[in-house]
Amino acid sequence: MQRYFLTNEQDEQNILFSKEDIHHIRRVMRMEEGDHVYTVFPDGRAAVAVLTNVTDTSIVAKVEEWLAHSAELPVEVVLACGLVKGDKFDYIIQKGTELGAAGFVPFEAERSIVKWDLKKGAKKIERWQKIAKEAAEQSHRNRIPAVAEPMSVTQIIEHGNMFDVKLFAYEETAKSGEMPAFYEAVSGLESGRRMLAVTGPEGGFSEKEAARLQGAGFIPCALGPRILRAETAPLYVLSAVSFYLELKR
């Protein structure tokens, strides 16, 4: 069954869909009255719903069964990622959403090759949010990760005050052979806690940035003995969190 995220307040016996979802249900999936879909309400509850009225311009459904299972990580992991070249950030958002990220915060680092274009920024954020929505539907999430406006390193540091655990992937830590920090950070997470994981652009963090982050309480972490690409590091973080908190236990 297809999964659709509902907007605004909804009556479970009179569910209404967005124009985009109406087009997908009617024109792409060619559904009719009596067909079933998964619906996710704004509060994160999910249900199986049956289509009760289908036209080219409006679709109405009602809840048949509430679903108790949630595919969300037991902790909230937000990824703050340095801006990267080409469509790599699209990939981070798509795969990061599939792996359970709660949100994404792009930032412009000293070594970022890509610079944020304010004129095109709004459309890019809109496109990234659409990628997150589609990935959340595909992976049967109960929430769509939010994509924030780009921040500076200073803003990232301030943003970190909202989290229980904050860390940054630093290749110099990997080169020195110091491996326990990331394991200790993940193994210490408890259900309901919040983690901010910061990963750099293609060139990594400058020494100045690393010093600022560490001075603000961010834990420098090696993500294994190998040096990872900018688009691989955030996905490694999510995979490790999922393994430890969802599979290992």
Side-chain angles (χ1 to χ4, degrees), residues 8 46 48 54 58 61 83 98-99 118 132 134 157 181 193 195 197 236 246:
N8 305 319
V48 175
V54 177
S58 69
L83 291 171
E98 291 178 29
L99 289 168
L118 290 174
E134 292 173 350
I157 289 172
R193 307 284 273 182
M195 170 189 278
Y236 179 100
E246 296 180 312

Side-chain angles (χ1 to χ4, degrees), residues 3-206:
R3 196 173 189 88
Y4 298 98
F5 285 87
L6 306 174
T7 57
N8 305 319
E9 292 298 319
Q10 293 280 352
D11 176 353
E12 64 184 71
Q13 297 301 309
N14 191 40
I15 298 169
L16 302 176
F17 296 85
S18 68
K19 288 183 179 180
E20 181 182 340
D21 289 340
I22 289 170
H23 173 79
H24 189 266
I25 291 170
R26 185 65 171 155
R27 297 297 185 183
V28 179
M29 301 306 300
R30 298 187 180 279
M31 293 186 191
E32 303 289 348
E33 292 176 10
D35 287 336
H36 291 79
V37 296
Y38 288 118
T39 53
V40 183
F41 285 70
D43 61 5
R45 293 178 302 155
V48 175
V50 59
L51 304 184
T52 57
N53 185 273
V54 177
T55 71
D56 290 340
T57 57
S58 69
I59 294 176
V60 182
K62 68 177 181 179
V63 170
E64 277 200 348
E65 177 188 2
W66 289 102
L67 302 175
H69 172 73
S70 172
E72 296 303 309
L73 283 173
V75 295
E76 191 171 313
V77 182
V78 173
L79 300 175
C81 307
L83 291 171
V84 286
K85 295 186 296 183
D87 60 358
K88 292 179 182 178
F89 216 96
D90 297 18
Y91 180 83
I92 291 171
I93 291 174
Q94 183 187 63
K95 301 308 174 186
T97 298
E98 291 178 29
L99 289 168
F104 302 91
V105 182
F107 71 94
E108 192 171 311
E110 286 185 26
R111 295 176 179 172
S112 290
I113 297 171
V114 174
K115 302 302 178 184
W116 187 251
D117 187 336
L118 290 174
K119 293 181 179 179
K120 300 179 181 178
K123 287 187 177 180
K124 183 166 285 190
I125 293 292
E126 183 180 346
R127 181 165 62 85
W128 284 342
Q129 195 64 68
K130 183 177 180 182
I131 290 171
K133 176 180 181 290
E134 292 173 350
E137 290 170 344
Q138 180 273 317
S139 56
H140 281 212
R141 295 279 305 271
N142 282 51
R143 63 182 294 183
I144 303 171
V147 183
E149 293 282 344
M151 296 186 183
S152 65
V153 173
T154 298
Q155 290 171 317
I156 291 290
I157 289 172
E158 293 173 354
H159 193 55
N161 294 328
M162 301 169 58
F163 293 83
D164 303 297
V165 177
K166 48 191 181 181
L167 56 85
F168 68 104
Y170 193 39
E171 64 182 39
E172 296 304 320
T173 307
K175 290 177 182 177
S176 65
E178 298 175 19
M179 298 297 167
F182 181 63
Y183 173 80
E184 291 171 358
V186 173
S187 61
L189 283 172
E190 298 178 356
S191 182
R193 307 284 273 182
R194 305 186 75 215
M195 170 189 278
L196 178 62
V198 187
T199 60
E202 288 90 350
F205 293 102
S206 68

